[in-house]
Amino acid sequence: MNDFEKILKDVEERLQGVELKIKKKLDSIDRVVNDKLKAHGFGWDDDDDETDANGADMNGSGGRNGDAENSGEYAQTAHTAGAEANGGVKYSDVAKKLEEIAPFMDKQTLHNLVDEFLYGELEMNMTVVLPFLDEGDISLIMKKLLKCEGETFKGLKVKDLLPFADDKDIDELFIKRAKAGHIDRDMMPFVSKNCWHEIVKDYCRDEDSTLNIDEFYPYLDDNDIQLLFKTYLKRQKKHRIK
């Protein structure tokens, strides 16, 4: 059994009982809300609730019978997800289950998920998983995007990782693209002062730079602004002499 099959097995096992837990929690909240409403003269009787649950509503959909249908659909989806290893379902169905189970995965399982996403055939909406990843896995994804020159990888964009990424990884990607003349505006609020300083120094050394430095002014500190001021004066003087 390979890592991906282990992930699928883990997903199927963890999904068992999740729906029931959610339903019990919602029922508990429902009762609390009803009690509070009754204290103010509102709310509903348990008998009415029972009738609604077992009978049909005005649109013809049946309370708990409707829930049973949904449960049947849920069970069928879970069943088909478990058959993915045998090629029995669409890959997107499994991806959806992985997105839903991500909050319940441990550190190692999440790492396996990231590994399959970066180097395997797994395609999913990774943005929903990012809040649960540790710095190491976020860094792996950033490095992958760095190799892709910061372009989209399987639907994942640099801006999706910015709230979770390490400053060094952000700086490395931003400065690489800036030196190539590309300004990634989504990254600008996350770039460190040291990175801005390096960019300003490179710009001042290269008079032929095509970088639009004007866009950076709001993010530069006093020292960098002074450096640019001195550079502009020197260049003006140099051209006057010629």
Side-chain angles (χ1 to χ4, degrees), residues 50-232:
E50 206 51 48
T51 300
D52 292 340
N54 292 290
D57 60 22
M58 295 180 65
N59 295 321
S61 61
R64 293 193 187 279
N65 290 331
D67 289 341
E69 290 180 4
N70 292 335
S71 297
E73 294 175 0
Y74 179 89
Q76 180 63 29
T77 302
H79 172 73
T80 55
E84 172 63 13
N86 296 321
V89 298
K90 296 179 181 179
Y91 203 80
S92 58
D93 293 337
V94 178
K96 181 63 177 176
K97 290 302 178 188
L98 291 174
E99 294 162 14
E100 293 174 350
I101 200 66
F104 305 96
M105 290 182 178
D106 58 28
K107 181 178 179 180
Q108 183 58 50
T109 306
L110 284 169
H111 176 71
N112 292 340
L113 180 68
V114 170
D115 190 65
E116 288 291 340
F117 177 77
L118 294 178
Y119 309 109
E121 298 180 359
L122 176 61
E123 294 189 14
M124 60 180 290
N125 180 14
M126 185 57 73
T127 58
V128 301
V129 181
L130 295 178
F132 308 103
L133 300 181
D134 61 21
E135 292 182 359
D137 286 327
I138 292 292
S139 184
L140 286 176
I141 299 175
M142 283 292 289
K143 285 179 171 58
K144 186 69 172 180
L145 288 170
L146 183 60
K147 291 181 180 179
C148 297
E149 300 297 327
E151 299 300 328
T152 301
F153 178 77
K154 291 186 178 181
L156 191 63
K157 301 177 182 178
V158 172
K159 67 179 182 180
D160 297 326
L161 283 91
L162 294 177
F164 314 101
D166 182 78
D167 290 344
K168 292 181 179 179
D169 290 330
I170 294 175
D171 289 350
E172 183 180 2
L173 180 55
F174 185 82
I175 199 168
K176 180 178 181 180
R177 305 192 80 189
K179 288 182 176 180
H182 177 80
I183 299 176
D184 195 327
R185 293 173 180 82
D186 290 325
M187 297 183 71
M188 290 170 68
F190 298 89
V191 174
S192 72
K193 291 183 178 180
N194 290 336
C195 183
W196 286 123
H197 186 60
E198 289 300 317
I199 291 174
V200 170
K201 286 196 301 182
D202 285 342
Y203 176 82
C204 292
R205 282 194 294 261
D206 183 11
E207 190 171 350
D208 296 323
S209 174
T210 59
L211 186 66
N212 183 11
I213 198 72
D214 297 349
E215 292 194 50
F216 297 166
Y217 295 156
Y219 302 96
L220 304 182
D221 61 21
D222 292 342
N223 291 331
D224 289 329
I225 294 295
Q226 290 174 12
L227 179 57
L228 285 171
F229 171 69
K230 293 177 181 178
T231 299
Y232 294 153

Side-chain angles (χ1 to χ4, degrees), residues 8-24:
L8 291 178
K9 184 178 180 181
D10 183 69
V11 168
E12 189 172 10
E13 290 176 351
R14 287 172 178 267
L15 281 175
Q16 297 297 326
V18 171
E19 183 187 29
L20 182 59
K21 290 180 180 179
I22 293 174
K23 186 177 183 305
K24 286 182 177 179

